[in-house]
Each structure stands twice: as C-alpha cells, then as structure tokens.
C-alpha cells in the first residue's frame, strides 16, 4: 500500500530531514524527528481499534440574511476570483458545504431575501441570488453539499398569524416546491433541508415534511433539526421513535465545542450547523481554527458551518465583516482574502466528506488540540492547533479562560499508518504581523528512518497540517483594485429589459422586497421601474419595520441630495418616501433614524426624523394622489434640510441635528405595492 508514496518520497529525499522553520518565522526548528529526546506529550495516531465518526465537511452560510447581497454586482474577473477563493478545490477555503437561506421576504439579520412564492399562487425560481450562488459553487466543486433553511416565511403561509405551523401541509408544500424548483430550473440537488432557523420546531411538521418529500420522490433529501440548541430536539427524538427516524442530523448553533448527553444518545450525526460569526480578523481566524478541531474533540461534531460565507453587505449593518472573506465594494472591485480563508484550508484542502476521524484525537498537554482523519485508503491528515484564549475568542458563546504555552508534541503513527514514508507540512501563525504566516508550505517530513515518529515544537497561535496528500495549494490572483468609497454621484433608471438578477445593484432591502418591474401598460418613460412587491407582512424572524425600506450608498454620507420618481399604487392609504442619513439597518431597522420625506395618496406630506414616524419635523397638504408619477427631492446640507415635489419647494430649512450621516433610502408607508424610477443621489461626506 505504501509502495507509491515511498517511491515519490525517495525522489524528494534530498530535502532537509527536518522541516526547518526559518522560512516560517520560527526562532527554533519547529519540526524535529524523534531521534531527538525532548520532554513533552506523546500522542499515538492509530487505526488498529477501528475509526471514529465519519467526517461530513466544513461549510459556510449564505443568507440569514442577505449576506451575499453585494457579491452579485461585482464586475468580472473579480466576482469569479472571489468565488474561486471560496469554492474552488485546492485553491482557497475549498468549502465542502454551502448552506443557503430559503428566502422568505423577511428581515433576517442584514436584509431581506425574496421568497420564490411571495403569494399563494405565485412561483418564481429566479428571484434573489442564492440559486446563482449554488450553481457557481457546483460549477467549481460538483461534489459540494447543498443545504436549505428558512429564516422567515411569506405572510400567506401563516393565514393571519405570525407562525409557520398553522397549516403543516401548506408549509411543507412551500418548502418542497423550493427543493423541486432548484432541480427543475437550475439542476441543483438539495442534500439537506432544515426546519426554522433558531426558532421553534413542530414535531408533527417535521414528520409531515418527511412524508411529503418521500411522496415527491425526494427520499434522498435529508432533514436536519433544529438549527437552534441541542435541546429540546434531542430529548424529543429519544421520546418519539418516528421523529428519531425522520431526522438525519442534529444541528446546533454556536455550541461552544460541546454537545449534550441526549444528543449523543440519539446516535445521529451531530453538526455545528452555524458557528463562527466573528469579525474576520486574526482573532476571528483563531476562533475558526480552534472550533474546527475542538467541535469534534469535545463535542463529536462532524461538520462545522460558518456564518457567513462572504461579507458582501454594507459594513455598518449588524455583524459587519463577519464572513470568511470581505467583498463589500462592487463599485470598485476591491475585495480582501481574509485569514479565515486560509485557516479553513488547513482542514478542507486535505480532507473530504466521507473520510473518518481517528479515535485517537484530543487535547495537547499544554493547550491546543489535534485531530487526524483518513480516507481508509492509506491517506492521513493531521491538524494541530494551539490557539490562545485572547487570539481565538468567538463572538459567542462565552469562552472560559484556558492557557496555551510552548511545548513539544511527539506523534507516533501506528496501525496502517506506520508505513507512511513522508508527510507534507502546511503552517499558519496568527498574531503579530512580523511573525504572521498564512497557509505556508514547509519542507516535507521524512518518516522512514524515525520509527514513524515525529516531534513538533509548538508555540501559541499556530496551525499545522501534516498530510500524505500532495494536492494542497495557496491559490492567488493579482491584487484586486484598491478600495474606493461608494460613488458620490449615483443614478439608476432601472431600464433593464431582461435582468439577470431580480434586485437592482447596490440597493439593500431591509424590510420588504424591491424588484425590477415592467409596466406593460406604460410604453413611455416609466416602462421599467423598481417595485416594492409585498402586500402582506411576512412571518418574521427579526423585528422587521412596519414600513418597507431599501438602503443604498455610503454610511459616511452627510450632505446629500436624493431625487427619485415615485408612484403610489394604493388609493387613500398608500404612501412612499425617500430618505437620507439613515443610520440603522438589519435587525435594528425598526429603530432607524434619519431624514424621511413622505407623500401619501390622501394628499398629505410628512417629514420625520425616524422610519417609524414618531419624530415629526413637518407635515401639511400637497397635490398628490395614487396612480400618478411624482418626483421627490430631498436636500440635506449641514443642519438644514429641504424637500421638493415636482421641482417645487414643499418645505425648507428644517433644522436636523441627528444623525450626522447615513445611507440614502427609498420605501413605502406599509406593505403595499409602489414603484420607483430614475433614482439619483449626489453626496459628500
């Protein structure tokens, strides 16, 4: 079995017998053959007594919500480069799993994602960007595992209640259509389906969903539950044999690397189905490096899925830059390949779903952990991490203090691994820029003359991957364009006959859904518009506003002029607005402040200092009605603001002291149809 790797190793035997670390910034030699007698722990890696649990992969979440919103607007070749860093095997993060939000029209952290069924008799499998993203992932890695999970649901599912379990058959049908649509329209096979992100599960609904999937010939689609805590789902499964049978995987969020007794007693696969969620600095990378190992060492979790895939949303929204990499400037093409990409690569490039963990994994004597995995065909991958407490604290949960210090760790290969002649070595050091290295290949390690034993000298905040595989690589492209602020002059007439995406570039919906629309009855200037398409409040996951709103631009904008043509579709009760200096979004959208200029179909206008309309600066009568186009203009300069309707001043020099800056925005008074056209903004910081 070892004949082929032995021959390859001899060809490389001219390399140093130890992997000297001068190139890796070590003062001392980090890898030593065991001929040197050193104090420290000894760790046996052996498959003689069988293997541990099956490895299911490392992945990331797009959605929950709108976290990939700006990615789709990137120009080529930069968009494809970003996708390569995420999905291309043996290039960057090389992810095994892509989990996407099943858009439900509601606010789900950083924005809304559109449903494939806004209304009961409506089906459209080309809305949003998750279909496109799954296809791009599959294009790069045909074996990538696809998962879908709802956060919110369209309002019609609840039949007047803010609850998805009013009619179990209806909700199951809705989810089933998404899976069927993915295959029929995009040739995408969904592998796993979830219940309701971080909210209540209904035992009967899970059973109904399984039966409906089976009836539709979707037996291969597995169910993961409940994407919340380990309990009460684990106990419920132990008490209900049918429930135990229909759930394939127990998925917990932010488990802190630990599981619970009931979850283990189910004998089901255990996943950390959402984790990380931390600023993508080196501390975030340390968080990821620690949990990728210790989720299995401590909690027997065989998959870890990071929220989120790529930080492609305005940075001042909640959890800014909490993606594996950053791509939040489609207008410039600038992106950053952050350190979590390379920490992921330490595991993903040298393992595959279907490999098995060894039983001999664990903690290092002086802090840190090690895991080892095999494909059962002679290949072995060992990942060692020594993340310190200060360098690896995730955003949640609380991390109890622990200590990591310099140590020598001796590894002994036994069983089928005792004949391995050589290991490739990849190295990361996080922390001080002068000592920092990301996913650097060191000299390989020759084992034939060492009784299958080697010793690592380990410092704080390091990751080593030692592997029989020679496929790893640190992919790269020429540097992308430099970072640039959002253009100070920006306009969009929405004149797109056949849009590739349903949403206009750079607009980030925070409540409601704004889509390209074609006015068949209007052959003139307003044939192509942007329309708010929800007429019913969705089943919410977060605190959606009572108004719909979409933001755009630079959060640092202070002085700006916003102009937009608007069209109220609802007689008497309808209303629309344009706004500037909007200071909040995402799950905080309901409390957003700014300067909002509203007109209503009943012939009134209003100027407010907040989206909710509690802070009123001015109000009065104007000549406005439904079913007619108007041009609104909002001018904000320093502490003064003014507004115009069709070029005529309606209000002037109203004093506004707060907020000092924020995005531009458009929106409606309620969940109502309305249209927008010829959007134009001129701004300065």
């Amino acid at each position: 079995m070892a004949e082929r790797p032995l021959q390859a190793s001899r060809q490389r035997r001219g390399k140093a017998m130890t992997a000297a670390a001068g190139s890796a910034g070590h003062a001392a030699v980090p890898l030593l053959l065991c001929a040197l007698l050193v104090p420290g722990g000894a760790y046996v890696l052996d498959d003689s007594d069988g293997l541990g649990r099956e490895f299911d992969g490392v992945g990331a979440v797009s959605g929950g919500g709108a976290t990939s919103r700006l990615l789709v607007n990137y120009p080529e070749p930069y968009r494809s480069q970003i996708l390569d860093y995420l999905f291309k095997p043996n290039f960057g993060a090389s992810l095994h799993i892509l989990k996407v939000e099943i858009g439900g029209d509601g606010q789900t952290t950083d924005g809304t994602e559109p449903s494939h069924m806004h209304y009961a008799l409506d089906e459209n499998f080309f809305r949003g960007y998750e279909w496109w993203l799954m296809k791009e992932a599959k294009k790069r890695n045909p074996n990538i595992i696809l998962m879908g999970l709802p956060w919110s649901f369209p309002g019609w599912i609840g039949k007047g209640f803010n609850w998805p379990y009013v009619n179990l058959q209806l909700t199951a049908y809705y989810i089933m259509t998404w899976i069927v649509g993915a295959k029929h329209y995009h040739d995408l096979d969904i592998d796993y389906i979830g219940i309701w992100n971080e909210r209540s599960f209904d035992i009967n609904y899970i059973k109904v969903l399984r039966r409906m999937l089976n009836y539709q010939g979707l037996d291969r689609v597995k169910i993961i539950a409940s994407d919340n805590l380990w309990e009460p789902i684990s106990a419920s499964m132990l008490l209900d044999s049918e429930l135990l049978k229909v759930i394939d995987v127990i998925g917990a969020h932010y488990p802190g690397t630990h599981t619970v007794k009931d979850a283990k007693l189910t004998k089901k696969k255990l996943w950390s189905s959402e984790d990380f969620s931390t600023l993508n600095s080196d501390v975030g990378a340390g968080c990821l490096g620690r949990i990728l190992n210790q989720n299995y060492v401590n909690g027997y979790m065989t998959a870890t899925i990071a929220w989120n895939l790529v930080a492609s949303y305005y940075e001042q929204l909640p959890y800014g830059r909490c993606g594996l990499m950053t791509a939040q400037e489609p207008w410039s093409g600038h992106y950053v390949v952050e350190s979590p990409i390379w920490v992921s690569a330490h595991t993903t490039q040298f393992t595959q779903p279907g490999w098995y963990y060894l039983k001999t994994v664990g903690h290092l004597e002086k802090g840190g952990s090690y895991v080892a995995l095999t494909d059962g065909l002679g290949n072995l991958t060992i990942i060692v991490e020594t993340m310190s407490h200060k360098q690896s604290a995730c955003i949640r949960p609380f991390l109890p203090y622990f200590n990591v210090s310099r140590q020598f760790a001796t590894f002994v290969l036994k069983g089928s691994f005792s004949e391995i002649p050589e290991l490739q070595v990849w190295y990361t050091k996080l922390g001080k820029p002068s000592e920092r290295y990301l996913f650097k290949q060191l000299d390989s390690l020759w084992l034939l003359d060492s009784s299958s034993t080697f010793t690592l000298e380990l410092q704080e905040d390091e990751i080593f991957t030692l592997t029989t595989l020679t496929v790893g690589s640190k992919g790269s492209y020429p540097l992308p364009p430099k970072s640039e602020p959002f253009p100070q002059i920006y306009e969009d007439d929405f004149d797109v006959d056949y849009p590739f995406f349903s949403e206009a570039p750079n607009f980030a919906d925070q409540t409601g859904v704004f889509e390209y629309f074609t006015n068949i009855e209007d052959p003139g200037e307003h044939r192509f518009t942007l329309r708010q398409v929800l007429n019913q409040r969705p089943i919410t996951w977060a605190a959606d506003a009572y108004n719909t709103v979409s933001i755009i631009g630079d959060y640092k904008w202070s002085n700006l002029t916003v102009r937009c043509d608007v069209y109220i579709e609802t007689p008497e009760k309808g209303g629309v607005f344009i706004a500037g200096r909007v200071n909040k979004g995402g799950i905080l959208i309901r409390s957003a402040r700014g300067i909002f200029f509203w007109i209503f179909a009943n012939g009134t206008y209003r100027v407010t200092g907040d989206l909710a309309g509690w802070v009123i600066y001015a109000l009065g009568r104007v000549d406005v009605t439904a079913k007619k186009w108007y041009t609104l203009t909002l001018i904000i300069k320093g502490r003064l603001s003014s507004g115009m309707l069709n070029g005529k001043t309606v209000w002037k020099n109203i004093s506004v002291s707060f907020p000092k800056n924020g995005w531009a925005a458009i929106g409606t008074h309620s969940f109502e149809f309305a249209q927008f056209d010829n959007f134009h903004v001129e701004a300065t910081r």
Side-chain angles (χ1 to χ4, degrees), residues 429-507:
K429 170 73 171 179
L430 300 173
K432 295 178 183 177
S434 60
E435 301 175 357
R436 184 175 184 261
Y437 287 88
L438 294 175
F439 199 57
K440 182 178 182 65
Q441 187 169 20
L442 304 183
D443 290 338
S444 59
L445 185 60
W446 178 258
L447 296 177
L448 279 187
D449 302 328
S450 68
S451 303
S452 299
T453 301
F454 62 91
T455 297
L456 302 179
E457 181 191 359
L458 301 171
Q459 310 281 356
E460 285 187 350
D461 304 320
E462 294 180 330
I463 304 174
F464 282 95
T465 296
L466 303 101
T467 181
T468 55
L469 298 182
T470 58
V471 295
S473 69
K474 187 173 183 179
S476 65
Y477 285 110
L479 284 175
K482 66 178 183 178
S483 176
E484 298 281 355
F486 195 95
Q488 292 186 333
I489 300 176
Y490 183 84
E491 55 190 12
D492 195 336
D493 59 13
F494 312 117
D495 287 359
V496 184
D497 201 347
Y498 296 101
F500 193 77
F501 295 104
S502 59
E503 298 160 292
N506 303 317
F507 280 90

Side-chain angles (χ1 to χ4, degrees), residues 388-672:
S388 63
H389 185 274
K390 69 178 181 180
Q391 191 65 46
S392 70
C394 305
I395 197 169
R396 66 177 75 86
F398 171 77
L399 182 63
Y401 183 75
F402 60 87
N403 189 56
V404 177
S405 57
R406 178 175 173 266
Q407 59 191 305
F408 291 92
T410 298
F411 291 88
V412 183
L413 306 188
K414 291 191 173 182
S416 69
F417 309 121
S418 61
E419 299 297 317
I420 290 175
E422 183 182 21
L423 291 171
Q424 308 300 310
V425 185
W426 293 82
Y427 173 73
T428 286
K429 170 73 171 179
L430 300 173
K432 295 178 183 177
S434 60
E435 301 175 357
R436 184 175 184 261
Y437 287 88
L438 294 175
F439 199 57
K440 182 178 182 65
Q441 187 169 20
L442 304 183
D443 290 338
S444 59
L445 185 60
W446 178 258
L447 296 177
L448 279 187
D449 302 328
S450 68
S451 303
S452 299
T453 301
F454 62 91
T455 297
L456 302 179
E457 181 191 359
L458 301 171
Q459 310 281 356
E460 285 187 350
D461 304 320
E462 294 180 330
I463 304 174
F464 282 95
T465 296
L466 303 101
T467 181
T468 55
L469 298 182
T470 58
V471 295
S473 69
K474 187 173 183 179
S476 65
Y477 285 110
L479 284 175
K482 66 178 183 178
S483 176
E484 298 281 355
F486 195 95
Q488 292 186 333
I489 300 176
Y490 183 84
E491 55 190 12
D492 195 336
D493 59 13
F494 312 117
D495 287 359
V496 184
D497 201 347
Y498 296 101
F500 193 77
F501 295 104
S502 59
E503 298 160 292
N506 303 317
F507 280 90
D509 303 347
Q510 301 302 306
T511 298
V513 174
F514 295 73
E515 295 178 349
Y516 282 119
F517 182 68
T518 301
N519 274 313
I520 299 172
E521 299 173 0
D522 188 338
E525 181 187 358
H526 300 295
R527 179 171 175 80
F528 300 108
T529 66
L530 192 68
R531 190 187 194 210
Q532 199 295 117
V533 297
L534 300 190
N535 62 355
Q536 186 177 3
R537 186 176 179 81
I539 296 172
T540 57
W541 182 81
D544 296 48
Y546 291 97
N547 330 88
T548 74
V549 55
S550 187
I551 61 170
I552 190 170
D554 189 331
Y555 189 79
K556 296 178 180 178
W557 280 348
S558 179
N559 300 324
L560 68 160
T561 298
V562 183
R563 186 175 68 246
C564 190
D565 297 343
V566 297
Y567 184 86
I568 303 169
E569 295 190 35
T570 305
E572 298 300 324
K573 295 182 179 180
V576 296
F577 70 82
I578 62 173
R581 293 188 186 173
V582 178
N583 74 341
K584 289 182 184 177
I587 51 177
L588 305 174
I589 188 61
R590 195 183 287 187
S591 59
R593 297 289 302 272
I595 299 98
F596 296 81
F597 178 20
W598 311 73
I599 59 170
F600 298 92
N602 64 3
T604 62
Y605 79 90
R606 188 169 295 185
V607 185
T608 67
D610 62 338
L611 178 62
W614 294 105
V615 181
I616 299 174
Y617 292 135
L619 48 81
R621 304 287 305 179
V622 283
D623 184 15
V624 168
T625 185
K627 310 285 188 180
K628 190 175 178 182
W629 282 98
Y630 300 93
T631 301
L632 293 183
T633 306
L634 172 65
I635 304 161
I636 308 169
K637 191 168 185 180
R639 291 194 167 199
L640 299 177
S641 63
S642 305
M644 294 190 291
L645 175 67
N646 291 341
K648 295 182 179 179
T649 299
V650 177
W651 49 279
K652 191 175 182 181
N653 292 338
I654 288 178
S655 179
V656 177
S657 58
F658 181 84
K660 304 289 187 188
N661 53 274
W663 298 289
I666 58 174
T668 66
H669 176 58
S670 63
F671 287 92
E672 60 184 277

Side-chain angles (χ1 to χ4, degrees), residues 332-371:
S332 71
H334 179 75
Y335 64 85
V336 183
V337 184
E338 310 280 7
S339 47
I341 290 286
W342 304 117
V343 167
S344 302
H346 272 278
T347 299
T348 56
Q349 290 201 20
F350 310 107
T351 59
Q352 287 297 325
W355 283 43
Y356 278 82
Y357 283 99
L358 271 58
K359 289 181 178 178
T360 48
V361 301
H363 291 278
L364 299 170
E365 189 176 280
K366 295 187 178 180
S369 66
Y370 66 98
V371 295

Side-chain angles (χ1 to χ4, degrees), residues 107-319:
Q107 168 62 246
T108 52
T109 300
D110 290 300
T112 68
E113 297 205 22
S115 170
H116 63 288
M117 296 179 72
H118 292 319
Y119 331 109
L121 300 178
D122 162 61
E123 285 190 15
N124 184 325
F125 296 93
F126 295 90
R127 293 188 182 121
Y129 35 85
E130 303 297 3
W131 314 106
W132 166 82
L133 185 63
M134 287 189 283
K135 286 191 289 187
E136 291 294 326
K138 277 284 186 184
K139 190 188 300 181
R140 288 160 175 81
N141 177 7
N143 297 319
I144 197 166
I145 295 164
L146 299 178
M147 303 175 64
L149 175 66
W151 268 250
S152 66
F153 296 82
W156 61 271
I157 292 282
K159 296 186 177 294
F161 295 92
N162 195 39
W163 190 244
Y165 305 128
V166 174
N167 184 325
L168 304 184
Q169 294 280 349
L170 187 64
T171 303
Y173 171 80
Y174 168 77
I175 295 298
M176 179 273 295
T177 60
W178 185 85
I179 299 171
V180 171
K183 180 63 176 177
H184 182 76
Y185 292 96
H186 303 286
D187 197 26
L188 293 167
D189 291 305
I190 304 301
D191 299 292
Y192 291 87
I193 200 73
I195 306 305
W196 189 13
N197 182 73
E198 294 175 357
R199 297 294 182 263
S200 302
F201 62 88
D202 182 288
I203 290 173
N204 289 324
Y205 167 71
I206 298 173
K207 297 174 183 177
V208 167
L209 178 62
R210 179 73 272 165
R211 286 196 292 270
M212 186 169 290
L213 293 177
N214 292 351
Y215 181 76
Q216 293 292 329
L218 298 169
D219 310 59
R220 63 173 294 281
V221 178
K222 296 180 171 67
I223 290 179
I224 179 170
S226 67
D227 281 293
N228 200 345
L229 305 176
W230 293 117
E231 298 289 15
I233 189 66
S234 300
S236 300
M237 292 168 67
L238 293 174
L239 294 169
D240 186 326
S241 59
E242 185 184 353
L243 183 68
L244 182 67
K245 183 180 178 181
V246 302
I247 293 175
D248 299 280
V249 177
I250 303 178
H253 287 194
Y254 307 96
T257 75
H258 293 280
T259 186
V260 298
K261 182 180 178 182
D262 281 352
K264 287 182 278 188
L265 286 174
T266 66
K267 294 183 168 50
K268 294 288 184 175
K269 289 177 177 288
L270 308 179
W271 290 9
S272 177
S273 53
E274 185 177 314
D275 219 324
F276 179 59
S277 191
T278 303
L279 183 73
N280 55 26
S281 62
D282 272 13
V283 173
C287 154
L288 187 61
R290 178 174 55 79
I291 64 177
L292 285 178
N293 265 23
Q294 296 192 27
N295 275 345
Y296 185 75
V297 170
N298 298 338
Y300 302 101
M301 286 167 267
T302 54
T304 296
I305 301 173
W307 187 90
N308 57 66
L309 175 72
V310 53
S312 277
Y313 47 99
Y314 291 113
E315 187 171 341
Q316 294 82 6
L317 288 168
Y319 306 102

